[in-house]
Amino acid sequence: MFSGLILSLSLSWYACTGEKDTAETLSPPTSEPSVTAVSPALRRLTISQYQNIVTDVFGEGLLVPSNLEPDIETEGFKSLGASISSISPVGVERYEQASYSIAIQIIEDSDRLTPWFGCELDVSPSQACISTGIDTLGLELWRSPLTTVERERLNELYQIIADQTDTLTGVEYVLSAMLQSPRFLYRSEMNTDSLINNAQAVHSLDAWSLASKLSFFLWNSVPDVELLELAQSEELLDQSVLEEQIDRMMEDPRFENGTRNFFDEMLHLYALDDITKDPFVYTHASPDLYASAKEETFRTIDYIIHNDMDFRELLTTQTTFVDRRLSTLYGIPAPISNGFGEVTLTEQTGRRGLLTQASMLNLHAHATASSPTLRGVFIRKTLLCQSVPPPPADVDTSIPEATDDAPTMRERLEQHFEDPSCAGCHKMMDLVGLGLENFDGIGQWRNLENNAPIDPSGNIDGTDFLNAWDMGKVVSEHRNLGPCLTDQVYSYALGHRMTDDEEPHQDWLVEHLFYNDWSFTSLVKTIALSEAFRSHGTHETQSNGG
Amino acid sequence: MKRTLNRRQFLRGMMAGGLVTVQLPLLEMFMGRKALAQDGGFPRRFGLFYWGNGNRPEHWVPTGEGFGDDWTLSQSLQSLLPVKDKLAVISGMSLKVPNTSPHWSGGIGFLTGQELIGDDDNWTAAVPSFDQLLAQEIGGETVYRSLITGCVTNESVSWNGPNARNPVESDPYAFYEKIFGPTFRAPGEEGIVDPTLGYRRSVLDVVREDTLALQNQLGATDRIRLEQHLDGIRDIELRLARLQEDPPALDACFRPDAPLEEYPDIESRPQMAARNAVMSQMIAMALACDQTRVVNYTFTSPLNNILYDFTDMGHHSLTHNESGDQPLVQKVTEFAMEQASVFLQALDGIPEGDGTLLDNCAILISSEVSEGRAHSLDEYPLVLAGSAGGRLQQNLHHRSHSTGNANELTLSVLRAMGMNLVSFGAGDSLVTNGLSAVEV
């Protein structure tokens, strides 16, 4: 709903900013606005969901292939891309390979299967045992009961193959079929009404779809047995049961997987897995450093959420979590000799909050240099939901080289600002990103660039800051922060980018956020309990009418 | 316990008719490799060699125009000398798509012939890229309709349509396992069919039925998405059928040596030459063994920021930040062409009839921009190698003096590959005529 956010501040900013006036309010939130009917879309499992499910269902210790069809990211989120992406022939082939690789590992340790089959699989099991195993495993992997036809198909497959080989091989191929099935690979939402008619109406999700939508939102994985039982009995459709379940799920360790996945997508932390820095420029460069940097950010987020702190503290907290590698980069003593320990950063380090963490500083920089532009784009787009247009295609975008007259990035970019076609947007990005220039492209502190002192002061949308330490505070108080966060969590949960028609919902969620002292868990719970989450519009018109 | 597969049991099952329900069009299955006999014996193949971030146009264009001794290679193309008599260099042409998004407009524009769609958050192709048009047209006879592969890239330049970018296999060992792994049989290794191929087909029958049932419950857009899933299932079924047939008797085909399991970066610099050498050999052998007839090889991808042994900045950064005549940018282009030469020589080293594999190929070499610094789509880099079995001109430098449409060359190539197309591209970049200068 970027378009809904755009109100001009002044003419030159029009194309580059999105502003929304939302005064903080402490009065109790109003009731939920009426729900906008948005047609549900099939969501393909993301790679992380595929991996989580295999581990959650079959247990730890399996090697789950990661070379599946790559996730598509749209509006910054893989979870939103999952609603529009299609699949390539190579992707289908990779699903096939992955299914066999997993199925073979499972039958090699056939005790893993006992919970579903309940009988010894390496002797001759009864038909009833096999059929029960197929039913219960199917329910868990496919998130709803098998139809009669589906059950028959899988039992027949088992029989054909087991007859020619043996029981476990039969099970192997049945497992593989389950893991290759679109019933597993795609999440569909069904409602309690009939599919035809009611073209404009808002429909309530059926209990199976609700259980699944909840578990993917909160755990990034499939429902557990308790949720499936409440879906079976339809008790989950009861408001108080639902609330109890949400509370239970948020207490569960899997909630951390869920919140980590949201921030992994939002902050693009996964990109740290493939990042490259030039070791000739940065002596700290190493894949281990980027992995540690990602973990530091995850731990900080866990800490904020677990202690139910004001979410804005993510940008200002002096508490962080570092290992030896990061403490060396930050120039502070390592808190413990092995693994991660908590430290309190002093103002001397110049570093506090997310923006000054190695993860963000590395991601939004080049292999051999920092980038005020990329850092500015990140703050504007990801944290404040402001739109930043791409550069025009046919212009020379090179930044003038450092000279004696222009030794620092600020001076080089100022030359760049002289071109009116670049100046408007570049000022908007760069004057923010320059606030982080005390941190080089790998996130190490520096006072000088080319022997000239760095000036890290700046201004964001009317508020001055002195340096990076100060800037985190200014960003945390920016009026777009709350609307932007609610938009992103809501969109992630529902699987579509919040539409203009859903703007009343954004306002309503922002009220909740402020009223609940910026508690992230309250925001999540409000969304999970909302009518908007528990319903959807009619499935898009079908070509044959039903 | 371990799986045991008893071949006798397997055959018995097959005789009893209990093994698989063959859902493939029977005719298609049993026609086998008859196409090998066409045109005096060898199929036509298409390959794309693609590198990212463009070139320095002033060092690209050959001197002289015409055939044979009338033209000489430019500085950028110098390392292609060993195969010069099999090249056609086309200069002076432009990609006519609107240049709205740096790198993306050209990248998607060249491969699909038309303007990209989407927005800055998610650019995508409006239609499939032309390698996939070819895969649909000529890919049905082989084990793989197409191979989408790369040297140092996570992303392909191949599209199935909107939001459907094809995954790329750039890991040499995984590529080897896929093509030349346990299911591969070289000519002469007849009769040893892996029994699991039949079981896999039974599983796919179940998966297809599940897909059709789910499809019936969904709206129009989602039905199309699942239709693409069904296409993928059909591709695997065809492949399994091919693998159950005896391999075609191709003299030049043999199982290549396996590559190393890993080619780790050294000082954050990928081992590009080593990777390209082994990928080139494997691609050449995949074509020689008729495992596929369409290869999309992304040597490096659009917008890549690879560090080279001789650079202190990623390639994309370099194109924007190196000043003056950009000697390092030029060096990267020369390196890419050295590697293209290694690729072409791998194809040319495999005898087929009186000529070589390269003669039966049409290989296009291009990038997503010409001058990287300005994201220019003028003076578009276009090199063609091989003649598709005598259908395309060779040892030619053709220069357009009227800023011709680069899509003309693509249309000529697609027609030379056997496609019966009335046009290629759309909007400003639509062409209905090929480039007659390269047509025989």
Side-chain angles (χ1 to χ4, degrees):
Chain A
M1 76 155 281
F2 291 141
S3 57
L5 277 171
I6 293 178
L7 293 170
S8 66
L9 270 185
S10 69
L11 200 61
S12 65
W13 282 63
Y14 184 78
C16 297
T17 60
E19 293 298 326
K20 185 177 181 74
D21 255 321
T22 314
E24 293 212 21
T25 164
L26 290 175
S27 56
T30 49
S31 58
E32 182 176 352
S34 61
V35 175
T36 307
V38 178
S39 295
L42 205 58
R43 288 198 250 180
R44 184 158 58 80
L45 297 182
T46 62
I47 295 174
S48 71
Q49 286 165 351
Y50 187 105
Q51 294 182 314
N52 285 351
I53 295 169
V54 172
T55 303
D56 286 349
V57 173
F58 296 108
E60 303 276 344
L62 296 173
L63 199 64
V64 189
S66 58
N67 69 334
L68 301 170
E69 173 104 344
D71 297 319
I72 287 192
E73 185 192 292
T74 182
E75 310 259 13
F77 282 84
K78 291 177 172 180
S79 290
L80 296 177
S83 300
I84 58 166
S85 64
S86 54
I87 181 92
S88 70
V90 175
V92 177
E93 183 189 354
R94 289 183 178 183
Y95 279 141
E96 196 212 13
Q97 285 168 356
S99 76
Y100 286 109
S101 141
I102 295 162
I104 288 169
Q105 293 176 67
I106 291 171
I107 60 156
E108 277 173 356
D109 178 9
S110 59
D111 290 347
R112 285 188 192 269
L113 290 167
T114 313
W116 297 280
F117 289 84
C119 59
E120 292 281 331
L121 287 171
D122 42 7
V123 294
S124 259
S126 68
Q127 181 56 41
C129 166
I130 294 297
S131 192
T132 305
I134 287 174
D135 272 356
T136 47
L137 197 50
L139 172 64
E140 220 165 304
L141 287 172
W142 293 0
R143 293 91 60 185
S144 67
L146 274 59
T147 64
T148 313
V149 181
E150 287 166 345
R151 176 181 306 120
E152 280 170 7
R153 268 203 290 271
L154 288 171
N155 277 288
E156 198 180 327
L157 176 71
Y158 167 80
Q159 217 56 60
I160 289 171
I161 291 171
D163 282 354
Q164 296 167 64
T165 55
D166 53 63
T167 304
L168 276 176
T169 308
V171 172
E172 176 198 332
Y173 282 85
V174 166
L175 275 173
S176 174
M178 285 180 174
L179 293 171
Q180 285 183 62
S181 174
R183 285 274 264 119
F184 174 68
L185 297 170
Y186 297 87
R187 299 158 54 195
S188 59
E189 280 185 9
M190 297 298 157
N191 57 58
T192 50
D193 306 330
S194 119
L195 273 173
I196 0 174
N197 305 323
N198 300 326
Q200 303 302 317
V202 171
H203 308 277
S204 298
L205 295 187
D206 69 19
W208 298 112
S209 298
L210 179 58
S212 178
K213 199 170 181 178
L214 268 183
S215 69
F216 280 101
F217 177 32
L218 300 180
W219 291 346
N220 201 36
S221 185
V222 285
D224 63 0
V225 173
E226 183 170 340
L227 263 179
L228 290 172
E229 281 170 357
L230 292 168
Q232 174 83 62
S233 67
E234 299 201 338
E235 285 171 82
L236 190 62
L237 299 177
D238 180 278
Q239 171 91 12
S240 59
V241 174
L242 176 63
E243 188 166 357
E244 271 170 34
Q245 284 301 309
I246 293 170
D247 288 338
R248 176 182 74 88
M249 292 174 79
M250 290 174 65
E251 295 286 314
D252 190 283
R254 277 170 285 192
F255 183 55
E256 194 173 286
N257 295 345
T259 53
R260 280 190 172 208
N261 186 69
F262 171 77
F263 288 101
D264 192 34
E265 291 194 18
M266 173 186 167
L267 300 174
H268 295 192
L269 292 168
Y270 52 81
L272 285 163
D273 299 345
D274 295 318
I275 205 166
T276 302
K277 301 283 167 180
D278 191 340
F280 296 117
V281 179
Y282 300 118
T283 50
H284 294 280
S286 120
D288 296 334
L289 176 73
Y290 319 131
S292 296
K294 181 157 113 175
E295 184 62 17
E296 179 195 12
T297 299
F298 277 141
R299 283 179 186 242
T300 311
I301 289 165
D302 294 345
Y303 162 80
I304 301 270
I305 293 175
H306 188 75
N307 294 306
D308 207 18
M309 291 157 65
D310 184 323
F311 182 74
R312 292 171 294 183
E313 290 193 42
L314 181 59
L315 293 159
T316 55
T317 180
Q318 287 170 243
T319 301
T320 196
F321 303 85
V322 294
D323 59 3
R324 290 176 68 92
R325 213 174 279 277
L326 285 169
S327 52
T328 308
L329 180 74
Y330 292 177
I332 56 176
I336 51 172
S337 56
N338 257 321
F340 279 79
E342 182 177 328
V343 289
T344 303
L345 296 165
T346 62
E347 191 162 358
Q348 260 183 328
T349 64
R351 205 183 286 268
R352 64 167 176 176
L354 177 72
L355 298 179
T356 61
Q357 291 192 343
S359 59
M360 295 298 107
L361 295 168
N362 272 284
L363 277 177
H364 308 291
H366 299 298
T368 55
S370 69
S371 170
T373 306
L374 293 178
R375 288 171 179 175
V377 170
F378 160 70
I379 292 168
R380 294 279 188 196
K381 271 182 90 161
T382 306
L383 298 182
L384 303 176
C385 293
Q386 292 169 324
S387 54
V388 180
D394 49 357
V395 298
D396 179 357
T397 55
S398 56
I399 301 170
E401 288 199 8
T403 60
D404 289 346
D405 291 340
T408 70
M409 188 57 93
R410 178 179 296 271
E411 288 139 335
R412 291 163 61 195
L413 286 168
E414 273 166 5
Q415 297 181 21
H416 206 53
F417 296 160
E418 285 162 18
D419 182 342
S421 70
C422 308
C425 293
H426 260 281
K427 281 184 180 168
M428 172 202 176
M429 302 178 285
D430 302 351
L431 293 180
V432 176
L434 283 166
L436 293 166
E437 272 294 278
N438 280 132
F439 302 99
D440 65 15
I442 202 156
Q444 190 168 31
W445 178 269
R446 57 180 179 177
N447 287 308
L448 303 174
E449 183 183 9
N450 295 320
N451 297 317
I454 289 168
D455 168 13
S457 66
N459 178 295
I460 303 178
D461 301 344
T463 310
D464 291 331
F465 59 82
L466 291 171
N467 50 32
W469 178 275
D470 207 20
M471 187 170 90
K473 181 85 179 151
V474 172
V475 174
S476 80
E477 288 167 355
H478 195 287
R479 58 183 166 179
N480 272 23
L481 193 72
C484 184
L485 180 70
T486 53
D487 177 342
Q488 287 167 317
V489 184
Y490 178 95
S491 302
Y492 174 85
L494 272 73
H496 67 261
R497 188 85 208 192
M498 195 180 244
T499 60
D500 289 352
D501 291 342
E502 289 166 289
E503 201 174 342
H505 261 89
Q506 184 179 35
D507 296 342
W508 174 69
L509 289 170
V510 169
E511 278 178 43
H512 265 278
L513 184 69
F514 292 169
Y515 185 69
N516 293 311
D517 301 321
W518 288 78
S519 152
F520 186 79
T521 50
S522 297
L523 176 63
V524 166
K525 187 173 170 183
T526 305
I527 291 171
L529 265 174
S530 71
E531 283 300 324
F533 182 80
R534 293 151 68 179
S535 51
H536 64 210
T538 301
H539 285 256
E540 246 187 16
T541 319
Q542 292 180 226
S543 47
N544 68 356
Chain B
M1 65 170 280
K2 284 265 174 233
R3 271 184 319 152
T4 53
L5 293 168
N6 179 316
R7 175 155 171 78
R8 197 168 294 140
Q9 279 179 348
F10 169 75
L11 288 174
R12 204 157 50 221
M14 222 160 147
M15 294 307 179
L19 183 60
V20 275
T21 334
V22 178
Q23 299 284 342
L24 294 169
L26 285 180
L27 194 63
E28 194 171 0
M29 252 194 73
F30 293 114
M31 280 195 317
R33 304 296 181 83
K34 72 155 178 60
L36 282 179
Q38 77 182 23
D39 302 329
F42 293 98
R44 284 169 256 174
R45 287 82 148 205
F46 171 78
L48 176 72
F49 181 99
Y50 198 88
W51 88 98
N53 299 329
N55 63 8
R56 296 294 318 163
E58 70 274 23
H59 299 307
W60 178 266
V61 181
T63 49
E65 292 174 42
F67 290 94
D69 294 338
D70 290 343
W71 71 288
T72 47
L73 290 160
S74 61
Q75 183 186 334
S76 299
L77 299 173
Q78 203 48 242
S79 51
L80 293 168
L81 191 60
V83 286
K84 176 179 180 270
D85 59 351
K86 297 190 176 181
L87 298 183
V89 178
I90 316 301
S91 68
M93 301 195 101
S94 295
L95 194 61
K96 304 287 189 183
V97 296
N99 197 4
T100 49
S101 175
H103 299 274
W104 288 93
S105 287
I108 291 177
F110 177 68
L111 266 296
T112 63
Q114 55 183 277
E115 188 176 9
L116 45 64
I117 58 171
D119 57 38
D120 189 38
D121 278 316
N122 180 31
W123 293 117
T124 188
V127 292
S129 50
F130 64 76
D131 60 306
Q132 293 307 298
L133 302 183
L134 275 171
Q136 284 308 312
E137 182 83 12
I138 64 170
E141 308 272 350
T142 52
V143 178
Y144 294 92
R145 278 189 186 278
S146 66
L147 288 174
I148 297 151
T149 171
C151 181
V152 186
T153 179
N154 292 327
E155 286 172 332
S156 77
V157 292
S158 177
W159 298 83
N160 273 326
N163 297 310
R165 191 177 195 166
N166 288 309
V168 64
E169 187 56 81
S170 299
D171 176 52
Y173 193 77
F175 187 76
Y176 178 86
E177 279 288 297
K178 172 173 167 154
I179 313 291
F180 302 107
T183 55
F184 175 78
R185 286 182 297 154
E189 298 178 8
E190 276 98 8
I192 323 153
V193 180
D194 181 349
T196 63
L197 296 173
Y199 308 157
R200 285 166 65 192
R201 287 173 69 178
S202 298
V203 169
L204 290 172
D205 286 342
V206 172
V207 176
R208 184 187 35 254
E209 293 301 317
D210 286 348
T211 313
L212 291 168
L214 178 60
Q215 220 181 6
N216 272 328
Q217 303 174 38
L218 301 170
T221 308
D222 286 340
R223 284 178 169 220
I224 294 169
R225 293 168 72 200
L226 284 188
E227 199 55 47
Q228 285 169 320
H229 203 113
L230 287 168
D231 288 345
I233 292 171
R234 270 189 287 275
D235 265 18
I236 303 176
E237 288 176 325
L238 269 174
R239 180 169 316 130
L240 296 176
R242 293 275 172 262
L243 290 167
Q244 287 174 310
E245 294 167 4
D246 286 339
L250 291 158
D251 293 343
C253 171
F254 60 90
R255 191 191 303 264
D257 292 336
L260 301 177
E261 285 195 32
E262 284 183 38
Y263 293 81
D265 294 355
I266 297 169
E267 305 285 9
S268 296
R269 271 88 179 154
Q271 300 188 48
M272 303 188 68
R275 296 177 76 108
N276 181 60
V278 69
M279 288 306 295
S280 296
Q281 287 300 335
M282 287 193 292
I283 290 169
M285 200 43 79
L287 292 170
C289 295
D290 209 27
Q291 300 294 293
T292 191
R293 294 176 191 172
V294 178
V295 172
N296 183 322
Y297 181 47
T298 305
F299 173 64
T300 58
S301 54
L303 268 169
N304 80 76
N305 223 9
I306 293 170
L307 288 166
Y308 287 78
D309 298 339
F310 52 87
T311 65
D312 55 4
M313 208 185 283
H315 184 201
H316 178 241
S317 303
L318 201 62
T319 61
H320 292 303
N321 294 322
E322 192 185 11
S323 58
D325 296 338
Q326 300 199 312
L328 290 174
V329 170
Q330 172 59 19
K331 209 167 164 184
V332 174
T333 311
E334 287 173 24
F335 179 76
M337 290 307 105
E338 263 173 47
Q339 298 308 312
S341 187
V342 168
F343 177 73
L344 295 178
Q345 289 181 60
L347 302 176
D348 207 30
I350 293 177
E352 279 194 345
D354 297 336
T356 71
L357 172 60
L358 180 57
D359 298 328
N360 294 313
C361 291
I363 307 294
L364 260 179
I365 301 174
S366 191
S367 188
E368 83 276 22
V369 285
S370 54
E371 193 201 359
R373 176 154 63 187
H375 308 120
S376 172
L377 303 183
D378 295 327
E379 195 61 76
Y380 211 71
L382 299 165
V383 178
L384 178 63
S387 68
R391 288 169 187 79
L392 293 163
Q393 298 286 0
Q394 301 188 92
N395 206 350
L396 166 71
H397 170 216
H398 170 76
R399 180 157 185 83
S400 168
H401 293 282
S402 54
T403 327
N405 186 331
N407 278 356
E408 289 177 7
L409 174 65
T410 311
L411 182 57
S412 291
V413 170
L414 295 178
R415 286 175 174 167
M417 293 306 300
M419 289 191 79
N420 187 15
L421 290 175
V422 290
S423 66
F424 178 68
D428 296 344
S429 56
L430 175 77
V431 293
T432 52
N433 292 314
L435 182 64
S436 55
V438 300
E439 294 170 358
V440 170

